[in-house]
Each structure stands twice: as structure tokens, then as C-alpha cells.
Amino acid sequence: MRSIISLGIGLGITITAEGVENEAELNYLRAEGCHEGQGFLFSRARPNEEIVGLLAAQCGTNVPLKTDGSGRSSRVA
């Protein structure tokens, strides 16, 4: 992880660690310079529709959805 984090920092990009499950992992990643994390420490997996609703509430806007006919939806860019 240290090498990947160093590479990202050297390239000037935001580093996001996936699969962070506990405070010890988060503390290690922060100490190494990782900018962001995601995983069960922050939230369980959630369906797309719920995430879109959370983002809309946080941004104070409606996030339009489109469906592909399979019941799956995605944000309209």
C-alpha cells in the first residue's frame, strides 16, 4: 500500500482506499498519506436508488435517474 499511495501522491491524484473495515486500518492509511477511504467502517453496501437519494439530500437537488429496462438505474450526466 505504501508504494501505491506514494505513486498517487507523486502524480498529484486523490488516493481512495477500498475495503476499510476498522479504525486501525483507517489510522494506518491516514498515516501513510491516503486521502479517502470506503468500506464497512463507514457504511454497509446500499442499493443504487438509496445512494442517489442520499446524494440528492446532501446536495439539496434532485438527481435524475434513467433506467436501462433491466430495473437498474444510473445518474444522468
Side-chain angles (χ1 to χ4, degrees), residues 24-53:
E25 292 172 349
L26 180 61
N27 291 336
Y28 172 79
L29 291 164
R30 284 182 176 161
E32 293 297 326
C34 188
H35 303 110
E36 300 176 350
Q38 68 181 45
F40 282 108
L41 176 63
F42 305 103
S43 176
R44 63 175 174 75
R46 295 179 173 201
N48 183 52
E49 292 78 16
E50 190 175 332
I51 296 299
V52 171

Side-chain angles (χ1 to χ4, degrees), residues 5-23:
I5 292 170
S6 294
L7 177 64
I9 290 171
L11 292 171
I13 59 175
T14 300
I15 310 303
T16 303
E18 296 182 5
V20 181
E21 295 187 4
N22 59 56
E23 290 286 336

Side-chain angles (χ1 to χ4, degrees), residues 47-63 65:
N48 183 52
E49 292 78 16
E50 190 175 332
I51 296 299
V52 171
L54 290 170
L55 290 173
Q58 184 177 12
C59 296
T61 62
N62 272 335
V63 179
L65 295 177

